[in-house]
Amino acid sequence: VTMRLCAVGGVSDSLDTRAILGLQAEERARVSAEKCVFEDTYSGVVASDSAVGDFRECIFRRNGVAVNVAECSSVHVQDSHFSEQRVANFATMKPPDTVTSGS
């Protein structure tokens, strides 16, 4: 899955209108997003079960956790902006997981 110039999430920062997941990738899925906005979710991105994600120039705003990485998945985030997460910008759920951030 490739996304470009997309907005993903809920309607506002309210418990009733917040989306559960912005993007979920499982079972060796490969996903990429460029210049996308992930906002007002409980989890902006969830990668699990050996999924691979590449996110460039994205905005992660007002999520519970912006990027969750689990179960041998790998996520690369570059030139992106994070603001107002409720819990964390990045979280790993089970080792061994890889999260990298580059400029």
Side-chain angles (χ1 to χ4, degrees):
V1 174
T2 300
M3 301 167 46
R4 189 167 193 281
L5 300 171
C6 295
V8 179
V11 176
S12 67
D13 188 22
S14 162
L15 290 174
D16 295 328
T17 59
R18 197 178 304 152
I20 300 298
L21 298 173
L23 172 65
Q24 181 173 354
E26 297 179 330
E27 298 183 24
R28 298 183 308 275
R30 295 189 178 277
V31 297
S32 66
E34 182 180 347
K35 297 182 180 178
C36 292
V37 177
F38 297 87
E39 65 183 345
D40 298 324
T41 69
Y42 288 99
S43 292
V45 172
V46 176
S48 62
D49 196 17
S50 300
V52 175
D54 183 33
F55 300 88
R56 297 174 188 273
E57 299 180 59
C58 292
I59 296 171
F60 297 88
R61 180 174 46 225
R62 292 188 309 270
N63 301 292
V65 175
V67 179
N68 275 298
V69 182
E71 300 157 356
C72 301
S73 293
S74 176
V75 172
H76 179 79
V77 179
Q78 183 174 337
D79 297 328
S80 295
H81 179 75
F82 295 82
S83 66
E84 304 177 62
Q85 310 321 318
R86 289 174 207 78
V87 178
N89 288 325
F90 294 98
T92 57
M93 297 187 281
K94 291 183 181 178
D97 302 323
T98 303
V99 176
T100 62
S101 179
S103 55

